[in-house]
């Protein structure tokens, strides 16, 4: 018994190639629209959509090209329109400008893409030759083939450059330091600062991260005196520029040669569309030559005409969309600045702000948060933790074999994470890290006692780093911050400790900034440990915290009660809290904030700090991380802080 009905087989035989070609085109639309949006949208759904379209696009186009080779090999079924589809599929294999690789690992397969280019080009030529008719329209497949080879070749070349880390030397425009305007429109200044910072940052990485002082005195003065809003926007633009170099065709298309090849590709596609239009409008009779016994509809069917038109018009529409993106990009504005046309950039940004200076470069609005204390309490209280583990069914075993046996723990962590809006006070705190020395103390709080207290707190925290356990440092400081955040109302009840009278804005801002940075660092440990140096097993950290919380007994159902019990355990966080408890609110939270800022700086340092460049670059395809921006702030302008 045939499980597939005969009518289904016949329907699929008729529509299989047409469906594959249209599906390949739809995937190109998805990649063109959403391929670059992942750099500023930190959403799992965007990642899944782009990932699925990226994997399916090459596979669908390859299968369709193979099907064309098989069909066109039969002279009875050869089709001049289908012969035009083969080079158009090469366009699809070349992919849109907005995405060349889903991750950095894909770039390591550039040689496979090169071999694929040769194989697919051979298949396309074979299809063209087998479908060749005694008609001028057959020549339209040649410009389509040229356009497809250009697009596929661009993608292969970009993958090669990224895999060899040659992108460290491939800033298209050289230095723009002489174009830096000390006054004028902010957008121009932001672009120049971002590009110059990127130029020196890449040079520093190219030197292995071991050079000291890669910035000349002139630019150092600009950097140190930069306004906070200009610097913050410039760092965001820099993250977008790095993303473009790693995951798009920016390294190719923003050069004179790339622009020339793009014009040739566009002209070839336009010529194919004109040829198809002429054939349809002016030559309404069948293209069948006299004496040819082939059925006219076998190679000039109305449905095939419509599909061919959709493919060609769609290719042109995607090219026009890509051109708009190119001409409105930060790279094009930098080119205008390089040519001495900074005033043009100013006019464009003022006339069309939504298209130029208002574009997003990373997900700067929100940062991840993870309250590990509440998370562990929920797990400790869970009845599933005390009960024996249940045997997994067949589906659970299959999921475990694909995602890992601890996928349930990872899923629980993902569900427990939250997000926090990045407000100006947090901006200003982060930007303190650009200075050579320690994070700057608020002038209203500067005193010898505060400086001494800050050093004492850091000495207590650093004791946990005796064996390089950076995670223990973060955990201890996080628990101390959490205890102060939860219990300070009990300590300060009825007290008047505000040194500014009724103005309590300062310590409240520091309190919220400290809490946000604390939860962010725990978020990095639990969700992105590869970004941090000297990170051990997250499960070992969880076991330690669980054991500590179990000692809290029945009081563990209340976070405040748990904080009281944690204070009695006489651990590092207890020592930190005891030192902080005797200080007034403003001083206490200034110390905690500065300690967290120093911890953030340390997170980009250490023996493995610069060796983790790829880990930071990987995060750019998921909206970017605040720690990556901090990593951009420090080198090569700031010398490592001695421990």
């Amino acid at each position: 018994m045939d499980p597939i009905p005969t009518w289904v087989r016949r329907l699929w035989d008729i529509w299989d190639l047409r469906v594959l070609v249209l599906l390949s085109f739809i995937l190109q639309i998805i990649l063109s629209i959403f391929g670059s949006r992942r750099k500023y949208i930190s959403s799992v759904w965007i990642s899944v959509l782009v990932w699925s379209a990226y994997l399916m696009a090459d596979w669908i186009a390859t299968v369709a090209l193979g099907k064309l080779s098989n069909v066109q090999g039969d002279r009875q079924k050869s089709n001049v329109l289908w012969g035009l589809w083969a080079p158009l599929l090469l366009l699809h294999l070349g992919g849109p400008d907005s995405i060349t690789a889903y991750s950095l690992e894909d770039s390591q397969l550039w040689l496979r893409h090169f071999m694929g280019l040769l194989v697919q080009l051979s298949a396309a030529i074979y299809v063209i030759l087998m479908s060749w008719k005694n008609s001028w329209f057959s020549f339209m497949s040649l410009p389509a083939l040229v356009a497809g080879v250009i697009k596929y070749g661009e993608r292969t070349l970009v993958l090669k450059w990224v895999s060899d880390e040659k992108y460290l030397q491939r800033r298209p425009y050289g230095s723009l330091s002489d174009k830096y305007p000390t006054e004028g429109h902010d957008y121009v200044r932001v672009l120049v600062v971002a590009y110059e910072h990127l130029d020196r940052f890449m040079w520093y990485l190219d030197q292995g991260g071991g050079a000291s002082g890669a910035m000349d005195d002139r630019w150092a003065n600009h950097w140190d005196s930069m306004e906070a809003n200009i610097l913050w926007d410039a760092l965001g633009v820099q993250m977008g520029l790095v993303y473009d170099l790693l995951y798009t065709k920016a390294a190719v298309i923003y050069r004179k040669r790339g622009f020339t090849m793009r014009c040739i590709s566009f002209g070839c596609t336009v010529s194919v569309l004109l040829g198809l239009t002429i054939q349809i409008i002016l030559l309404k009779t069948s293209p069948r030559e006299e004496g040819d016994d082939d059925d006219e509809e076998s190679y000039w069917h109305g449905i095939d005409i419509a599909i061919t038109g959709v493919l060609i018009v769609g290719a042109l529409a995607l090219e026009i969309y890509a051109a708009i993106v190119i001409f409105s990009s930060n790279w094009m504005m930098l080119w205008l600045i390089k040519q001495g046309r900074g005033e043009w950039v100013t006019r464009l940004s003022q006339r069309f702000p939504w298209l130029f200076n208002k574009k997003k470069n990373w997900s700067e609005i929100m940062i991840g948060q993870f309250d590990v204390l509440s998370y562990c309490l929920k797990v400790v209280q869970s009845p599933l933790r005390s009960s024996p583990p249940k045997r997994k069914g067949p589906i659970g075993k299959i999921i475990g074999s694909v995602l890992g046996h601890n996928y349930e723990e990872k899923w629980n962590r993902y569900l427990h994470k939250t997000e926090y809006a990045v407000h100006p006070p947090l901006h200003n705190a982060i930007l303190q890290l650009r200075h050579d020395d320690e994070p700057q103390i608020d002038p209203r709080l500067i005193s010898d006692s505060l400086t001494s207290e800050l050093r004492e707190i850091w000495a207590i925290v650093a004791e946990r780093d005796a064996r390089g356990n950076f995670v223990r440092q973060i955990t201890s400081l996080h628990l101390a911050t959490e205890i102060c955040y939860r219990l300070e109302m009990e300590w300060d009840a009825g007290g008047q400790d505000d040194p500014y009278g009724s103005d309590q804005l300062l310590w409240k801002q520091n309190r919220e900034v400290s809490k946000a940075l604390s939860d962010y660092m725990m978020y990095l440990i639990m969700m992105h440990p590869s970004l941090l140096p000297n990170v051990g097993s997250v499960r070992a950290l969880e076991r330690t915290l669980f054991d500590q919380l179990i000692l809290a007994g029945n009081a563990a159902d209340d976070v405040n009660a748990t904080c009281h019990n944690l204070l009695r355990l006489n651990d590092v966080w207890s020592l930190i809290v005891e030192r902080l408890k005797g200080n007034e609110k403003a001083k206490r939270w200034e110390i905690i904030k500065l300690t967290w800022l120093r911890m953030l700086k340390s997170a980009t340092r250490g023996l493995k700090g610069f060796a983790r460049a790829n880990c930071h670059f990987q995060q750019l395809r998921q909206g970017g991380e605040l720690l990556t921006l901090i990593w951009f702030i420090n080198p090569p302008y700031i010398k490592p802080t001695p421990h």
Side-chain angles (χ1 to χ4, degrees):
M1 178 180 176
D2 192 349
I4 303 177
T6 304
W7 68 271
V8 175
R9 288 181 179 273
R10 291 177 180 174
L11 188 63
W12 180 246
D13 288 340
I14 295 173
W15 286 97
D16 57 354
L17 181 57
R18 297 179 174 97
V19 170
L20 289 173
V21 171
L22 289 175
L23 181 58
S24 177
F25 174 64
I26 292 173
L27 292 174
Q28 293 304 306
I29 295 176
I30 294 174
L31 290 176
S32 297
I33 296 176
F34 295 101
S36 61
R37 279 171 167 75
R38 60 183 181 145
K39 73 177 178 180
Y40 60 81
I41 299 178
S42 180
S43 170
V44 64
W45 305 114
I46 289 291
S47 299
V48 171
L49 178 64
V50 174
W51 175 74
S52 302
Y54 178 81
L55 292 182
M56 291 179 61
D58 285 0
W59 180 79
I60 293 294
T62 301
V63 172
L65 196 54
K67 181 70 176 178
L68 273 174
S69 302
N70 182 46
V71 173
Q72 297 295 77
D74 187 352
R75 296 293 296 179
Q76 298 297 324
K77 298 181 179 180
S78 61
N79 187 321
V80 67
L81 284 176
W82 289 5
L84 190 61
W85 293 359
L88 293 178
L89 287 171
L90 283 183
L91 276 174
H92 296 175
L93 287 169
D97 297 341
S98 58
I99 179 171
T100 55
Y102 181 79
S103 63
L104 289 179
E105 290 80 5
D106 295 328
S107 301
Q108 303 300 324
L109 304 176
W110 73 269
L111 192 57
R112 179 183 298 180
H113 281 270
F114 178 70
M115 294 301 297
L117 170 60
L118 298 180
V119 172
Q120 305 297 355
L121 176 60
S122 302
I125 293 175
Y126 172 79
V127 171
I128 292 173
L129 294 177
M130 296 304 295
S131 62
W132 198 272
K133 302 292 181 180
N134 293 326
S135 170
W136 68 270
F137 186 76
S138 294
F139 288 93
M140 290 295 97
S141 58
L142 299 182
L145 182 65
V146 172
V149 171
I150 290 176
K151 295 282 283 188
Y152 206 160
E154 285 178 345
R155 181 184 182 186
T156 305
L157 185 60
V158 171
L159 292 175
K160 180 180 182 298
W161 284 350
V162 175
S163 66
D164 295 336
E165 295 186 352
K166 292 181 180 179
Y167 62 87
L168 296 176
Q169 300 98 24
R170 291 193 181 276
R171 274 81 65 208
Y173 308 134
S175 177
L176 296 178
S177 59
D178 59 326
K179 305 294 183 181
Y180 176 74
T182 56
E183 298 179 357
H185 199 261
D186 287 350
Y187 182 52
V188 178
R189 300 175 64 197
V190 165
L191 289 176
V192 176
V193 171
Y195 184 84
E196 281 303 297
H197 189 254
L198 172 63
D199 186 59
R200 287 160 174 78
F201 183 81
M202 290 299 189
W203 182 90
Y204 183 68
L205 292 182
D206 190 37
Q207 300 299 316
S212 60
M215 181 172 61
D216 56 80
D217 293 338
R218 179 185 175 187
W219 189 256
N221 294 332
H222 287 322
W223 179 257
D224 290 336
S225 61
M226 201 77 63
E227 302 95 321
N229 63 320
I230 297 293
L231 182 57
W232 183 266
D233 291 341
L235 290 168
V237 170
Q238 180 184 345
M239 294 182 76
L241 295 178
V242 175
Y243 172 88
D244 293 338
L245 288 175
L246 297 178
Y247 298 107
T248 72
K249 295 182 180 179
V252 172
I253 60 180
Y254 292 106
R255 296 173 179 271
K256 183 181 295 185
R257 183 183 304 174
F259 181 76
T260 302
M261 299 304 291
R262 184 51 51 89
C263 291
I264 294 175
S265 174
F266 185 80
C268 290
T269 308
V270 171
S271 67
V272 176
L273 178 61
L274 291 176
L276 179 64
T277 304
I278 293 173
Q279 183 72 359
I280 294 174
I281 297 178
L282 301 181
L283 304 177
K284 296 182 180 180
T285 60
S286 171
R288 179 180 56 180
E289 297 293 333
E290 184 178 355
D292 192 351
D293 295 332
D294 289 342
D295 183 10
E296 174 183 329
E297 294 186 356
S298 66
Y299 57 89
W300 200 254
H301 196 281
I303 294 178
D304 293 335
I305 294 175
I307 293 176
T308 305
V310 168
L311 293 177
I312 298 175
V313 173
L316 277 177
L318 292 179
E319 284 290 319
I320 294 173
Y321 173 78
I324 294 174
V325 173
I326 290 173
F327 285 110
S328 64
S329 67
N330 291 327
W331 289 102
M332 183 56 65
M333 297 301 102
L334 286 168
W335 181 82
L336 290 175
I337 295 173
K338 179 70 174 179
Q339 304 304 315
R341 297 292 186 269
E343 67 278 3
W344 291 11
V345 178
T346 300
R347 293 171 187 169
L348 288 172
S349 62
Q350 292 175 341
R351 184 75 178 271
F352 308 102
W354 56 274
L355 191 59
F356 295 97
N357 61 342
K358 297 299 182 182
K359 60 169 67 337
K360 297 180 180 179
N361 296 284
W362 70 292
S363 58
E364 59 180 290
I365 299 177
M366 309 295 289
I367 59 174
Q369 300 280 276
F370 198 96
D371 187 349
V372 72
L373 191 59
S374 300
Y375 166 72
C376 291
L377 285 176
K378 289 181 179 179
V379 176
V380 168
Q381 297 167 18
S382 174
L384 297 178
R385 180 174 174 83
S386 57
S387 61
K390 297 181 180 180
R391 295 186 60 182
K392 296 181 179 179
I395 297 179
K397 291 181 179 179
I398 294 175
I399 296 176
S401 63
V402 175
L403 301 179
H405 295 293
N406 61 336
Y407 72 92
E408 293 178 341
E409 297 177 9
K410 294 180 180 178
W411 179 246
N412 288 335
R413 293 178 200 148
Y414 177 79
L415 292 178
H416 192 77
K417 78 177 183 69
T418 57
E419 292 183 331
Y420 176 83
V422 182
H423 296 302
L426 184 55
H427 289 185
N428 298 332
I430 296 301
L431 291 178
Q432 292 183 26
L433 298 175
R434 61 176 159 154
H435 299 286
D436 301 36
D437 50 7
E438 296 298 321
Q440 301 297 298
I441 301 174
D442 190 283
R444 293 171 291 181
L445 296 175
I446 293 178
S447 65
D448 294 337
S449 61
L450 187 145
T451 304
S452 176
E453 195 75 16
L454 185 60
R455 291 174 179 172
E456 290 294 330
I457 294 295
W458 184 253
I460 296 173
V461 175
E463 286 182 3
R464 271 300 180 101
D465 199 29
R467 293 180 294 177
N469 199 330
F470 186 65
V471 173
R472 293 284 183 166
Q473 283 189 347
I474 298 176
T475 306
S476 299
L477 187 57
H478 173 78
L479 291 177
T481 304
E482 194 72 15
I483 292 171
C484 291
Y485 190 84
R486 303 274 183 178
L487 302 183
E488 73 170 359
M489 295 300 294
E490 301 177 12
W491 303 339
D492 303 325
Q496 295 292 331
D497 57 357
D498 182 8
Y500 313 117
S502 60
D503 183 10
Q504 299 182 357
L505 180 61
L506 176 63
W507 73 264
K508 287 183 177 179
Q509 286 183 350
N510 287 341
R511 183 173 182 263
E512 295 306 316
V513 167
S514 300
K515 172 66 173 174
L517 295 179
S518 177
D519 288 350
Y520 176 67
M521 292 298 286
M522 291 307 302
Y523 163 80
L524 292 177
I525 291 177
M526 305 300 288
M527 308 301 295
H528 299 293
S530 61
L531 295 178
L532 301 174
N534 306 322
V535 175
S537 171
V538 176
R539 298 189 67 185
L541 170 64
E542 285 186 343
R543 285 195 298 269
T544 302
L545 290 173
F546 290 154
D547 293 340
Q548 299 287 1
L549 294 175
I550 288 174
L551 295 177
N554 295 329
D557 59 345
D558 180 75
V559 177
N560 285 13
T562 302
C563 290
H564 282 292
N565 284 279
L566 287 173
L567 278 175
R568 301 190 189 101
L569 295 180
N570 196 27
D571 211 312
V572 175
W573 56 79
S574 303
L575 299 177
I576 297 173
V577 172
E578 289 302 320
R579 296 286 307 192
L580 294 170
K581 187 176 179 181
N583 294 295
E584 59 192 19
K585 289 181 181 179
K587 185 177 178 180
R588 179 190 305 150
W589 288 108
E590 182 75 9
I591 292 173
I592 296 175
K593 182 193 75 172
L594 294 175
T595 306
W596 274 119
L597 290 177
R598 185 169 181 176
M599 190 71 74
L600 280 170
K601 180 184 286 190
S602 299
T604 62
R605 303 293 183 175
L607 297 177
K608 298 181 181 179
F610 292 105
R612 297 184 178 274
N614 285 347
C615 297
H616 283 285
F617 289 153
Q618 290 279 24
Q619 294 303 313
L620 296 179
R621 61 186 174 88
Q622 297 176 338
E625 280 294 343
L626 180 65
L627 187 65
T628 302
L629 182 137
I630 296 171
W631 183 57
F632 284 159
I633 291 177
N634 287 319
Y637 314 110
I638 303 175
K639 299 178 181 179
T641 302
H643 284 195

